[in-house]
Amino acid sequence: MNEFKRRSAEINDLLCVLNVLNWDARTQMPAGGSSPRAQQLATVSALAQEKLLDPAYAAAAQAVSGDDVENRAAQQALDAISALKRIPAELTRELALLKSEAQDVWARAKAANDFGLFAPGLTRMVELNQQLAEALGYEGHPYDALLNMYEPGLTVETLMPLFEQLRAHHVPLLRAIQERPQPRSEFLNRSYPAAAQKSISLALAQKFGYDTERGRLDESAHPFEISFTRQDVRITTRIQENFLSGALFGTLHETGHAMYEQGVRPELSRTVLASDLLGLYAVGGASYGTHESQSRLWENRIGRSKAYWDLHFPQLQAAFPEALADVDTAAFHRAVNTVRPSLIRVEADELTYDLHIMLRVELERALIGGELAVKDLPEAWNARIKADLGLDVPDDTRGVLQDIHWSAGMFGSFPTYTIGNVMASQFYAAATEQMPELEDTLLRGEYATLLGWLTDNIYQHGRIYTPHELLERVTGRGLDPQPYLDYLSGKYGELYGLAETNETAQKEQIL
Amino acid sequence: MNEFKRRSAEINDLLCVLNVLNWDARTQMPAGGSSPRAQQLATVSALAQEKLLDPAYAAAAQAVSGDDVENRAAQQALDAISALKRIPAELTRELALLKSEAQDVWARAKAANDFGLFAPGLTRMVELNQQLAEALGYEGHPYDALLNMYEPGLTVETLMPLFEQLRAHHVPLLRAIQERPQPRSEFLNRSYPAAAQKSISLALAQKFGYDTERGRLDESAHPFEISFTRQDVRITTRIQENFLSGALFGTLHETGHAMYEQGVRPELSRTVLASDLLGLYAVGGASYGTHESQSRLWENRIGRSKAYWDLHFPQLQAAFPEALADVDTAAFHRAVNTVRPSLIRVEADELTYDLHIMLRVELERALIGGELAVKDLPEAWNARIKADLGLDVPDDTRGVLQDIHWSAGMFGSFPTYTIGNVMASQFYAAATEQMPELEDTLLRGEYATLLGWLTDNIYQHGRIYTPHELLERVTGRGLDPQPYLDYLSGKYGELYGLAETNETAQKEQIL
């Protein structure tokens, strides 16, 4: 193994170790272990960073002259080193300190409905992220520098017009839905024994193609997927006895993430192309948005389709004979696709979720750009909720204080959820176009055809391509919301019997 | 924090991380994860060793001039560094390679009952361990150098006369027992639902004083205890539906180990005095033998006593109402103390276990001393089994090939099991002497008194003292088998109605 590969493998090993330590902390660790675990994480992080910034590593990367893939890996290493070197050590230190403090303060502020308590920490967090953006550099808006950490190449200039298109579509569609009667969905909150929820969730994940010889399903407070190379890709779900959809669709969502990681080709294991070097995170997917496109494709496009439940509802009913005794496939399908504006992002349906995201993105972009002051944030939040969702925000706990992201310094990550929705429909449209037989395979529950196509076209490439390059390769164009808008109009037009449902949309609705 | 403390903390963090990775590999990891996990372990081990052998670390240790505890830590670091430096890099490399190869060959040889297949690898393993002994240095027998890695200060000169005393006691006692009728014990192999086995095992562990805010119980093929600082000390057990004793007493055994680790005083966390630097293992106990003394004290001395089951048998019966319907406390107590010679060490009872150990120790000492050739090993094994246990060994699978230890290069570790038995009785005798009220507290199921005494006298000290120093401090003397021999004679004299039961022994038997 050459010097660059050897050093890259060592760094990737350490990132995988960080992932193991975090997985354990979130799923297995007893409460007492948290303080030493933080120290273990800090020690391994520091070592990984030290290895990454070792001048011999940059020299080894510069000496690479191999095939396209090797050259890409070397270039990505050099880019990450260069970015890390631009961030002043003092800023890194202060950000790390503030992140751990601000999350505690945020949790207390949320519990007490006291935005004033969180405001000073948030103000400092915005300032430090502005400094971070300046250090990293950008051409257009300072927010671009932060976006770039989660979605390489994405800019405000691309994002904002895209969001305008989405809002112009989503808000009228939501209004139209709100004028129609709602389907029954009370049965989703009946009693669903936890063990059965876990076993059917896992069975459905395996049916999609999740390989449990290289993975496992556990429970955690917040569901997630994490990998320690493609050989060990784990998912978690949150089981609530009185809410079936949480564990069920949460598992299908994480399964999409997991199959992406399991599909990265073996040669990329232990390389830069399975490492987020800037984030010190072992991950095989191209970006947060690309990853999200796969979780949403499998969860929503497949897992909430009529065809899917036509096939699998009998199995679900057998698992919960009492709770689902008076429910049929059609009723279940309608219930799990109910659109209903809510105050809380993580409880939102497929359509209103984007509105929650866009609100956050617009506000954080304005904060980073200096166009919005932290003190004016609650008012701006509440006004946007009213305008988009028609809801009055009764308190900041259910408003501006609901998400952990800002206290964790994650400015720039929110857009990736909606970008993922848009990409999912682009990829799905390309798959349908390239494989006329796809629809039939899905009607038969043969998910290997879709999984094979996604693996060949997306998963196997790991982080070789930027998200934009990948989209161009697979779909022949950049970010394009049209397939996503068509999908939503078609689906909800049919489900809610809306007049504007057109023929294409009706065809879409079969799946 | 000074330089030595800072560097020691970093090394201990890495050893804790190795323990987390190993715990996960043995309890949670899907099969596919094993190859990348081996690489992650190798990377972290290499980093820990690099940090340990960094000349700046030795310099920092040399510069320490603090209190007794700090000086001890510095001296232990210097000793480990010096030992590691005496081992040629080529020997370390060859040993690591041979260990992984030989374990595979051994597993195949065991499955095929083919000692000839394993013999060449074992021969080389003996040679490399002889070289290791020469590199590490010794005064008396080369085996001393290997012993010292597991039980600092223990020598052949101390060990062999001790073993002679034990054998002179155990063999006649075994013969006497074999002439008496056996109690019924068939009910131990009835059907015991796994979930109930796990929950009662954990409940009994907690009753002893195992703190599950800083620990957890899982299942694994081979039970073990492992710690990532005193704040996170985990145990495992092996549950077999048709064998109650395995999970039950296995858990009590590991609980003894775990309470030792949980009792190490907080100031020793992340220091040399919670690290086996030579073994690259995070551990708070003074030595393997000292650790084993605690697992055996809690499992056997307390957990197999009449008083214990007088208190807890009703709880057990409630957990397994069918399997234990026709069993009473006395019958259960007798059954779990049955002495019956068997070919297999891990299935042996408290008395014959020592005979299995002594056999192995004598043979491995002779191998390392060059007094026994590998080709003559099976014959020597079988002869000793016949002499001590009166059994004919029908095949090497159930004879010389049964244990993994030699293929894993662990020459010198076997004695610690029996040393643990001896120490356990010495510590227990000291506790009884110093606390006349101890017996009454145990009769009432108040284990906090014993745990408190053990914590004050043993656990809290971590690795500050050598095992010999610790024994001297607590009992006023070195290794002394008499309390152990008295305990065994008393216990089995009573259980099997042997004539030679004396009054002291009968008194012992109450507990």
Side-chain angles (χ1 to χ4, degrees):
Chain A
M1 207 190 295
N2 68 35
E3 181 73 2
F4 176 68
K5 278 199 177 158
R6 191 187 61 72
R7 287 176 177 270
S8 298
E10 197 180 26
I11 292 167
N12 183 269
D13 284 341
L14 294 177
L15 303 188
C16 286
V17 168
L18 289 171
N19 282 7
V20 175
L21 295 173
N22 277 312
W23 175 83
D24 180 79
R26 295 176 68 177
T27 63
Q28 313 290 338
M29 191 179 74
S34 66
S35 159
R37 180 56 51 85
Q39 286 159 326
Q40 292 148 15
L41 284 164
T43 291
V44 179
S45 293
L47 282 171
Q49 182 131 345
E50 200 178 281
K51 299 270 167 202
L52 187 54
L53 293 179
D54 185 334
Y57 184 54
Q62 247 138 9
V64 169
S65 171
D67 61 21
D68 283 357
V69 172
E70 288 163 332
N71 294 342
R72 274 278 163 137
Q75 191 54 52
Q76 288 189 23
L78 290 169
D79 289 349
I81 294 165
S82 153
L84 282 169
K85 282 190 171 165
R86 287 197 296 275
I87 307 171
E90 177 55 25
L91 177 57
T92 303
R93 203 193 60 77
E94 206 187 332
L95 258 172
L97 206 67
L98 185 61
K99 279 177 193 176
S100 86
E101 282 173 11
Q103 286 180 57
D104 285 345
V105 176
W106 162 77
R108 280 187 284 124
K110 181 178 174 179
N113 182 33
D114 183 355
F115 183 75
L117 182 63
F118 181 46
L122 180 57
T123 303
R124 186 65 188 147
M125 189 61 91
V126 170
E127 288 165 5
L128 294 183
N129 273 276
Q130 288 167 333
Q131 291 175 25
L132 182 61
E134 295 303 323
L136 289 168
Y138 54 87
E139 287 182 13
H141 194 282
Y143 187 59
D144 292 351
L146 306 178
L147 266 180
N148 199 54
M149 294 196 297
Y150 302 95
E151 206 58 26
L154 189 64
T155 60
V156 166
E157 201 182 345
T158 309
L159 195 60
M160 292 304 155
L162 181 80
F163 277 13
E164 272 173 46
Q165 258 184 289
L166 295 183
R167 180 174 279 121
H169 168 270
H170 285 23
V171 174
L173 180 56
L174 176 60
R175 295 288 174 272
I177 287 170
Q178 286 184 287
E179 283 168 19
R180 306 289 304 161
Q182 284 288 19
R184 62 181 285 228
S185 61
E186 86 297 341
F187 53 81
L188 294 175
N189 298 105
R190 289 177 180 164
S191 177
Y192 294 89
Q197 283 197 53
K198 188 171 175 187
S199 71
I200 196 158
S201 294
L202 184 58
L204 293 174
Q206 290 174 311
K207 177 75 179 158
F208 268 171
Y210 176 49
D211 177 4
T212 49
E213 282 292 301
R214 299 185 287 136
R216 50 178 285 139
L217 171 66
D218 292 271
E219 292 179 50
S220 66
H222 301 279
F224 65 100
E225 170 277 322
I226 197 162
S227 74
F228 330 131
T229 81
R230 73 193 295 280
Q231 290 298 115
D232 193 348
V233 181
R234 306 186 186 180
I235 58 176
T236 71
T237 196
R238 180 181 171 210
I239 298 175
Q240 299 152 275
E241 293 257 352
N242 292 304
F243 185 51
L244 176 61
S245 304
L248 193 61
F249 291 100
T251 302
L252 299 186
H253 182 96
E254 301 308 330
T255 298
H257 284 303
M259 295 194 300
Y260 193 164
E261 293 293 312
Q262 290 190 331
V264 173
R265 58 181 194 251
E267 309 88 89
L268 302 188
S269 285
R270 304 183 77 222
T271 74
V272 167
L273 300 171
S275 310
D276 174 358
L277 294 178
L278 209 50
L280 289 183
Y281 189 67
V283 60
S287 70
Y288 280 72
T290 321
H291 237 299
E292 199 67 17
S293 78
Q294 298 312 303
S295 54
R296 302 217 168 211
L297 193 158
W298 287 101
E299 175 198 353
N300 292 332
R301 194 63 179 248
I302 309 301
R304 290 184 198 267
S305 70
K306 184 70 167 48
Y308 185 76
W309 290 111
D310 279 339
L311 285 165
H312 300 294
F313 186 72
Q315 194 183 346
L316 195 70
Q317 206 169 27
F320 306 108
E322 286 182 39
L324 296 175
D326 62 346
V327 181
D328 64 15
T329 305
F332 184 78
H333 173 244
R334 285 187 59 101
V336 299
N337 285 292
T338 303
V339 172
R340 190 181 288 118
S342 83
L343 292 167
I344 308 297
R345 174 181 61 88
V346 298
E347 295 169 6
D349 55 74
E350 216 176 330
L351 179 67
T352 58
Y353 198 94
D354 286 326
L355 297 171
H356 282 280
I357 290 302
M358 293 190 276
L359 146 77
R360 285 156 178 77
V361 173
E362 284 157 8
L363 295 178
E364 70 177 18
R365 186 216 55 183
L367 286 169
I368 296 298
E371 304 139 36
L372 176 69
V374 164
K375 72 172 170 48
D376 300 325
L377 190 58
E379 198 184 324
W381 179 288
N382 298 348
R384 176 50 79 189
I385 290 286
K386 183 75 183 177
D388 286 352
L389 299 172
L391 299 173
D392 293 306
V393 178
D395 50 52
D396 291 332
T397 299
R398 283 173 283 181
V400 69
L401 287 173
Q402 70 184 259
D403 295 314
I404 198 174
H405 297 57
W406 289 336
S407 71
M410 294 177 71
F411 291 87
S413 78
F414 276 126
T416 64
Y417 297 108
T418 288
I419 292 296
N421 283 333
V422 170
M423 285 174 127
S425 281
Q426 288 188 259
F427 288 135
Y428 188 79
T432 313
E433 202 180 301
Q434 292 172 32
M435 292 186 297
E437 75 281 16
L438 178 63
E439 206 165 281
D440 288 336
T441 66
L442 295 173
L443 287 168
R444 292 195 300 269
E446 295 164 12
Y447 305 111
T449 306
L450 178 59
L451 180 56
W453 186 90
L454 292 167
T455 302
D456 288 347
N457 286 278
I458 303 172
Y459 303 170
Q460 65 143 323
H461 298 305
R463 297 170 70 88
I464 295 176
Y465 304 111
T466 66
H468 186 81
E469 287 169 341
L470 199 61
L471 262 182
E472 286 275 0
R473 277 178 62 98
V474 179
T475 71
R477 55 198 306 164
L479 274 176
D480 173 7
Q482 203 54 53
Y484 180 48
L485 300 182
D486 290 344
Y487 156 68
L488 290 176
S489 306
K491 170 171 181 162
Y492 294 115
E494 175 78 8
L495 279 164
Y496 283 93
L498 304 178
E500 58 266 59
T501 306
N502 59 34
E503 223 174 282
T504 324
Q506 275 174 346
K507 183 154 174 291
E508 286 271 339
Q509 180 49 27
I510 294 168
L511 289 168
Chain B
M1 205 189 294
N2 68 37
E3 181 73 2
F4 176 68
K5 277 197 179 161
R6 192 188 61 73
R7 287 177 178 270
S8 299
E10 198 180 26
I11 291 168
N12 183 269
D13 284 341
L14 294 177
L15 303 188
C16 287
V17 168
L18 289 170
N19 282 6
V20 175
L21 295 173
N22 277 313
W23 174 84
D24 180 79
R26 296 176 66 177
T27 63
Q28 313 289 338
M29 191 179 75
S34 66
S35 157
R37 180 56 50 85
Q39 287 159 326
Q40 291 148 15
L41 284 163
T43 291
V44 178
S45 293
L47 281 171
Q49 182 131 346
E50 198 179 284
K51 299 269 165 201
L52 187 53
L53 293 178
D54 185 335
Y57 185 54
Q62 248 139 7
V64 169
S65 171
D67 61 21
D68 283 357
V69 172
E70 288 162 331
N71 294 343
R72 275 278 163 136
Q75 192 53 51
Q76 289 188 22
L78 291 168
D79 290 348
I81 294 165
S82 153
L84 282 170
K85 282 191 170 165
R86 287 197 297 274
I87 307 171
E90 178 54 25
L91 177 57
T92 303
R93 204 193 58 77
E94 207 187 333
L95 258 172
L97 207 65
L98 184 62
K99 279 178 193 177
S100 86
E101 282 172 12
Q103 286 180 58
D104 285 345
V105 175
W106 162 76
R108 280 187 285 124
K110 181 179 175 179
N113 182 32
D114 183 355
F115 183 75
L117 182 62
F118 182 46
L122 180 56
T123 303
R124 186 66 189 146
M125 189 61 91
V126 169
E127 288 166 4
L128 294 183
N129 273 276
Q130 288 167 334
Q131 291 175 26
L132 182 62
E134 294 303 323
L136 289 169
Y138 54 87
E139 287 184 12
H141 195 281
Y143 187 61
D144 292 351
L146 306 178
L147 266 180
N148 199 55
M149 294 196 297
Y150 302 95
E151 207 58 27
L154 189 64
T155 61
V156 166
E157 201 183 343
T158 308
L159 195 61
M160 292 305 156
L162 181 80
F163 277 12
E164 272 173 45
Q165 257 185 290
L166 295 183
R167 180 173 279 121
H169 169 270
H170 285 23
V171 173
L173 180 55
L174 177 60
R175 295 287 175 274
I177 288 171
Q178 286 183 288
E179 283 169 17
R180 305 289 303 160
Q182 284 289 19
R184 64 181 285 228
S185 62
E186 87 297 341
F187 53 81
L188 295 175
N189 299 104
R190 289 176 181 166
S191 177
Y192 293 89
Q197 283 196 54
K198 189 171 175 188
S199 72
I200 196 158
S201 295
L202 184 58
L204 292 173
Q206 289 173 311
K207 177 75 179 161
F208 268 171
Y210 176 49
D211 177 4
T212 49
E213 283 291 302
R214 299 186 286 134
R216 52 178 286 140
L217 171 66
D218 292 87
E219 292 178 49
S220 65
H222 301 280
F224 65 99
E225 170 276 323
I226 197 162
S227 73
F228 331 131
T229 81
R230 73 194 294 281
Q231 289 298 114
D232 192 349
V233 181
R234 305 187 188 181
I235 58 176
T236 72
T237 195
R238 179 180 172 211
I239 297 176
Q240 299 152 275
E241 292 257 353
N242 292 304
F243 185 51
L244 175 62
S245 304
L248 193 62
F249 291 99
T251 303
L252 299 186
H253 181 95
E254 301 308 330
T255 298
H257 284 303
M259 294 194 300
Y260 194 165
E261 293 292 311
Q262 290 190 331
V264 174
R265 58 180 194 253
E267 309 88 89
L268 302 188
S269 286
R270 305 183 76 223
T271 76
V272 167
L273 300 170
S275 310
D276 174 358
L277 294 178
L278 210 50
L280 288 183
Y281 189 69
V283 61
S287 70
Y288 281 71
T290 321
H291 236 300
E292 199 68 16
S293 77
Q294 297 312 303
S295 54
R296 303 220 163 206
L297 193 158
W298 287 100
E299 175 198 352
N300 292 334
R301 194 63 181 248
I302 309 301
R304 290 185 198 266
S305 69
K306 183 71 167 48
Y308 185 75
W309 290 111
D310 280 338
L311 285 165
H312 300 294
F313 185 73
Q315 193 182 346
L316 195 70
Q317 207 169 27
F320 307 108
E322 286 182 39
L324 296 175
D326 62 347
V327 182
D328 64 14
T329 304
F332 185 79
H333 173 243
R334 285 187 58 101
V336 300
N337 284 293
T338 304
V339 172
R340 190 180 288 120
S342 83
L343 292 166
I344 309 297
R345 175 181 61 88
V346 297
E347 295 170 4
D349 55 74
E350 216 176 329
L351 179 65
T352 58
Y353 198 96
D354 286 327
L355 297 171
H356 282 281
I357 291 302
M358 293 189 277
L359 146 76
R360 285 155 179 76
V361 173
E362 285 158 8
L363 294 178
E364 70 176 19
R365 187 217 53 182
L367 286 169
I368 296 298
E371 303 138 36
L372 177 68
V374 164
K375 71 172 171 51
D376 300 324
L377 190 57
E379 198 185 324
W381 181 288
N382 298 348
R384 178 48 79 189
I385 290 286
K386 184 74 182 178
D388 285 354
L389 299 171
L391 300 173
D392 293 306
V393 178
D395 51 51
D396 291 332
T397 300
R398 282 173 283 180
V400 69
L401 287 173
Q402 71 184 262
D403 294 314
I404 197 174
H405 297 58
W406 289 335
S407 71
M410 293 176 71
F411 291 86
S413 78
F414 275 126
T416 64
Y417 297 109
T418 287
I419 293 296
N421 283 333
V422 170
M423 285 173 128
S425 280
Q426 288 187 261
F427 287 135
Y428 188 80
T432 313
E433 202 180 301
Q434 291 170 33
M435 292 186 298
E437 75 281 15
L438 177 63
E439 205 164 284
D440 288 335
T441 65
L442 295 173
L443 287 168
R444 293 193 301 268
E446 295 165 11
Y447 305 111
T449 306
L450 178 58
L451 179 56
W453 186 90
L454 292 167
T455 302
D456 288 348
N457 286 278
I458 303 172
Y459 304 171
Q460 65 143 325
H461 298 304
R463 297 170 70 89
I464 294 175
Y465 303 112
T466 66
H468 185 81
E469 287 169 340
L470 199 61
L471 262 182
E472 286 276 357
R473 277 177 63 97
V474 180
T475 71
R477 54 199 306 164
L479 275 177
D480 172 7
Q482 204 53 53
Y484 180 48
L485 301 182
D486 291 344
Y487 157 68
L488 290 176
S489 307
K491 171 171 181 163
Y492 293 115
E494 175 79 8
L495 279 164
Y496 282 92
L498 304 178
E500 56 266 59
T501 307
N502 60 32
E503 223 174 282
T504 325
Q506 275 174 345
K507 185 154 172 289
E508 287 270 339
Q509 181 48 29
I510 294 169
L511 289 167

